Amino acid sequence: MPKIEIIGVYPIDAEQPVHLVELWVRGAQGKFKIGDITQEVPGEPPDNWQCPYLEKLLSPSGDKVVADDFELMKRPDLWSGDMRLAFFFHYLDLELPLKTPFGEVQLPAETELPDRLAMIEYEEP
């Protein structure tokens, strides 16, 4: 079963609270729904929970975008082995885990956005 490792959680300057989340999917074995990565909002039904926005597949070193959210859906060849992903997540609660198709994962403390990720730009939804 694939495993999720969080690389970093970076606050983004925007009108709404939003973070860029960077993670590894170790041992991916075919397509999974990135939209199934979510976070419970206590007292709200799952349909109201947030999910990734503007997903990017990164190079193994994390300094280049290999594919964006639309290209990822069209390229099954990208969905195997280790995948380094980055995506925006609105209203992230750092105290709660992310729920993923491969189990829950705790979030680390937020840190400053690394220069190598400056090429990923946030767009208001």
Side-chain angles (χ1 to χ4, degrees):
M1 162 133 11
K3 182 180 177 190
I4 301 287
E5 296 174 25
I6 304 288
I7 298 167
V9 176
Y10 317 111
I12 302 299
D13 185 24
E15 289 185 28
Q16 301 175 22
V18 63
H19 288 80
L20 183 66
V21 177
E22 183 183 20
L23 56 78
W24 279 106
V25 179
R26 299 280 190 191
Q29 301 170 354
K31 257 187 178 179
F32 59 92
K33 289 184 178 180
I34 294 175
D36 285 348
I37 297 173
T38 189
Q39 188 176 58
E40 181 177 356
V41 178
E44 291 288 332
D47 287 349
N48 289 346
W49 299 353
Q50 296 292 316
C51 64
Y53 174 63
L54 297 176
E55 307 89 44
K56 309 281 186 213
L57 176 67
L58 303 178
S59 64
S61 58
D63 60 353
K64 292 182 182 139
V65 173
V66 174
D68 65 15
D69 51 345
F70 298 111
E71 190 176 7
L72 262 171
M73 295 303 128
K74 297 185 231 172
R75 302 240 347 243
D77 59 305
L78 298 176
W79 294 83
S80 63
D82 294 343
M83 299 174 66
R84 190 173 187 144
L85 297 173
F87 53 82
F88 294 100
F89 201 96
H90 293 93
Y91 300 96
L92 187 66
D93 184 338
L94 296 171
E95 300 299 315
L96 296 176
L98 280 183
K99 294 181 177 289
T100 80
F102 315 113
E104 291 187 354
V105 61
Q106 289 300 129
L107 294 167
E110 64 183 22
T111 57
E112 187 175 322
L113 184 72
D115 290 340
R116 66 182 168 75
L117 295 177
M119 78 291 203
I120 300 177
E121 295 184 19
Y122 175 73
E123 299 172 19
E124 297 283 339

